[in-house]
Amino acid sequence: TFIGSLESTDYDTFMRELSINLGGVFNLCRSAVPELKKQKDSTIVTVGSDLGVRPIPERIGYCPSKAGVIMLTKCIALEYAPYIRANAILPGLVRTPMIEQRFTEAEDPAALEESYASLYPLHKMGKIEDMANAIAFLSSEESGFITGEIMHVCGGSLI
């Protein structure tokens, strides 16, 4: 994630973030679709972000790139129904190795963790398992009548 505003971010940096966050999902889905079309009940679950629908300052590239993932997912769902279902999850902050490194490097790790948790009504950060469970559900037969939807897995940040 690049940090910057409209005025402090140059075009190349903006396009790099779009290329990574949106272009990467596009390329992966484009490569997978020919094989997925050969199978019955195929699914795609993309990973966006709550910041794709709720902007914050200094994320002039990140927020639009994640909004693009949402619309790309909806376009794929429409274009490939009924052969492939496509849905997205929108995580909030998740305890990934990158986030854990922020805690390690912080002057006051407990204060940083508290500040992150306080962003969410559930007053905690997501776990990788939370995201995996949502993806597993959206990939299962239990969600067989769901396509083109966005599942908010973000601790209530979008309430």
Side-chain angles (χ1 to χ4, degrees), residues 93 111-125:
L93 278 172
L112 180 60
E113 187 166 356
E114 173 58 27
S115 73
Y116 285 171
S118 70
L119 296 171
Y120 304 99
L122 290 181
H123 205 81
K124 62 182 179 178
M125 292 175 49

Side-chain angles (χ1 to χ4, degrees), residues 3-105:
I3 296 173
S5 68
L6 184 63
E7 293 178 299
S8 69
T9 302
D10 63 58
Y11 180 78
D12 290 340
T13 301
F14 177 76
M15 292 308 292
R16 179 170 157 74
E17 188 139 34
L18 286 178
S19 177
I20 291 167
N21 293 339
L22 179 55
V25 174
F26 171 86
N27 286 329
L28 184 61
C29 292
R30 188 171 189 272
S31 296
V33 160
E35 288 303 312
L36 293 174
K37 285 176 19 182
K38 296 176 186 177
Q39 304 170 41
K40 186 178 181 200
D41 299 324
S42 291
T43 63
I44 292 173
V45 180
T46 62
V47 179
S49 169
D50 61 342
L51 298 182
V53 295
R54 181 183 62 87
I56 62 171
E58 299 289 314
R59 299 298 186 280
I60 198 67
Y62 186 81
C63 295
S65 71
K66 292 302 186 171
V69 170
I70 293 167
M71 186 53 69
L72 176 64
T73 304
K74 288 177 176 278
C75 289
I76 291 168
L78 182 62
E79 189 167 336
Y80 290 98
Y83 309 104
I84 301 170
R85 293 186 303 107
N87 296 288
I89 65 166
L90 301 187
L93 278 172
V94 177
R95 296 190 74 107
T96 62
M98 181 181 75
I99 297 296
E100 294 295 343
Q101 183 177 348
R102 289 183 193 174
F103 294 144
T104 301
E105 295 170 354

